[in-house]
DNA sequence: GACTCTTGCCTATTACTGATAGGAATGTCA
DNA sequence: TGACATTCCTATCAGTAATAGGCAAGAGTC
């Protein structure tokens, strides 16, 4: 493993480029990240970036994976309450807060705004990891029917979308989240106990 | 009004260009509509389009208004049942069907995928017209609290998003829509009657 | 220490994007 | 017929992602 010294330096370089790319994305929007601006940011010329990424979509893929690793880390570090319903609420609040706090990241991870971009299998696996955690918390709270899961996911996604497109300081979306969890969990409980 | 003959011909030309632009958008996605391809489609060179639209965003604005007029027409032509709850369900079903049947149109009208594009005041007014109809139907069904309205809108938007990003033939999203209307309307009724 | 040889970055160039400048032709109206 | 506005053109520019090919610095081997 002596050869890895050069490989490791390369990995660090790639990480710093992805970091700079996220900085640009936060400044000007994820769609407006240009390789020229990114190269300037990291002290290179635009074509030199192709030594690290085969295409612009490959850069987006690295950013996608990076963002999803952040999400997994955030969800893993949660200290959820014992009550399953309360845990689900806290989990969804954390998820929504993660999405709302960085619109550029939200666009790349959860909306499909880059025309040709499809995450690679490896990057997609990281995203699936995050989503499976959400599934576990929902199941624990009694939301097991696939239709119910879909509904709750749609509800949360819709609220996040609304929060991001509305003027700041709008409706109390954190309360809405809790209400939606209650509505669906109550309904699911009622249906299964009958 | 004799001078209008030329103006009317111009309006027809603009309409045909917008029509062709929507055709391209359906083929390759709303973000990938290029003025060069559009000009070729209508038998012009790319710079000639600037005789009709000041910028590409002006073209998007005309497309936005056109799409919203389609939406208003669709919603106006609905023959809703008398029962307010059933009417709300039918209305939401029609709205969702409109959104799902044309992903490109959905992207321009309801998602924000064109970086610099903000609809003009006139075009926005058409969109507000459509949304106000939705508000009226919701109010009639007993969903009057602004928070409830926001929640229902978020639910429907989330389901549309899920339907569009999922593999075709997935979950029964039309049933989900009815269930969400019931859930929220029942809850609203329960709260106001107590 | 001199030899390859890979890696990292460069300049130059291509095709395509939206946008502007300016000219030629067409048709309208006084 | 003459003035004018409309319509479309060619030519051009700056910015985008992407490719080709070259140059130099560092690593490993003899």
């Amino acid at each position: 493993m002596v050869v890895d010294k050069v490989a490791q330096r390369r990995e660090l370089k790639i990480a710093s480029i992805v970091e700079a790319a996220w900085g640009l994305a936060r400044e000007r929007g994820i769609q407006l990240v240009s390789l020229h601006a990114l190269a300037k940011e990291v002290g290179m010329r635009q074509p030199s970036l192709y030594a690290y990424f085969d295409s612009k979509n490959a850069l987006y893929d690295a950013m996608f994976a990076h963002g999803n690793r952040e999400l997994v880390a955030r969800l893993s570090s949660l200290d959820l309450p014992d009550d399953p319903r309360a845990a689900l609420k806290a989990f969804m609040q954390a998820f929504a807060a993660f999405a709302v706090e960085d619109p550029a990241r939200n666009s790349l991870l959860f909306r499909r705004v880059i025309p040709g971009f499809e995450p690679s299998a490896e990057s997609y696996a990281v995203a699936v990891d995050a989503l499976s955690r959400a599934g576990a918390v929902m199941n624990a709270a009694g939301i097991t029917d696939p239709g119910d899961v879909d509904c709750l996911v749609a509800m949360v996604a819709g609220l996040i979308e609304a929060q991001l497109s509305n003027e700041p300081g709008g409706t109390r979306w954190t309360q809405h989240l809790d209400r939606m969890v209650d509505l669906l969990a109550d309904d699911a409980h009622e249906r299964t106990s009958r």
Side-chain angles (χ1 to χ4, degrees), chain A:
Chain A
M1 297 283 190
V2 198
V3 197
D4 278 10
K5 201 168 64 177
V6 54
Q8 185 182 356
R9 206 173 50 195
R10 183 185 171 83
E11 286 304 314
L12 280 176
K13 189 91 191 181
I14 288 181
S16 78
I17 294 176
V18 169
E19 201 76 37
W22 272 121
L24 279 179
R26 281 185 286 267
E27 281 176 23
R28 48 174 79 180
I30 187 69
Q31 297 118 318
L32 298 182
V33 172
S34 86
L35 296 183
H36 183 88
L38 175 57
K40 188 176 178 183
E41 202 74 21
V42 299
M44 294 182 188
R45 304 300 171 111
Q46 172 249 336
S48 303
L49 289 173
Y50 283 81
Y52 301 98
F53 303 97
D54 288 344
S55 67
K56 195 185 182 185
N57 276 355
L59 168 68
Y60 278 133
D61 192 58
M63 296 173 74
F64 180 86
H66 180 267
N68 273 292
R69 278 192 292 271
E70 284 183 331
L71 173 59
V72 170
R74 177 77 62 90
L75 297 180
S76 302
S77 73
L78 287 180
D79 193 16
L80 296 178
D82 290 335
D83 175 55
R85 176 85 63 99
L88 177 54
K89 287 179 183 174
F91 186 92
M92 287 304 181
Q93 294 285 351
F95 192 101
F98 177 88
V100 167
E101 77 190 16
D102 186 344
R105 187 177 57 188
N106 182 69
S107 288
L108 184 61
L109 266 57
F110 306 122
R111 310 179 63 207
R112 295 181 168 266
V113 294
I114 311 292
F117 171 64
E118 206 74 28
S120 66
E122 299 129 0
S123 302
Y124 190 68
V126 186
V128 169
D129 181 14
L131 290 186
S132 71
R133 292 163 194 266
V137 180
M138 284 191 273
N139 287 345
I143 298 180
T144 55
D145 183 87
D148 288 354
V149 171
D150 288 352
C151 280
L152 184 52
V153 169
M155 285 174 171
V156 176
L159 276 181
I160 290 169
E161 191 69 14
Q163 170 69 13
L164 278 169
S165 65
N166 278 350
E167 289 73 43
T171 55
R172 317 115 303 194
W173 59 283
T174 56
Q175 301 165 32
H176 293 348
L177 270 179
D178 283 356
R179 253 189 69 210
M180 289 200 169
V181 168
D182 277 329
L183 274 180
L184 210 60
D186 283 342
D187 188 58
H189 177 70
E190 195 173 305
R191 230 168 339 125
T192 56
S193 66
R194 181 166 20 93

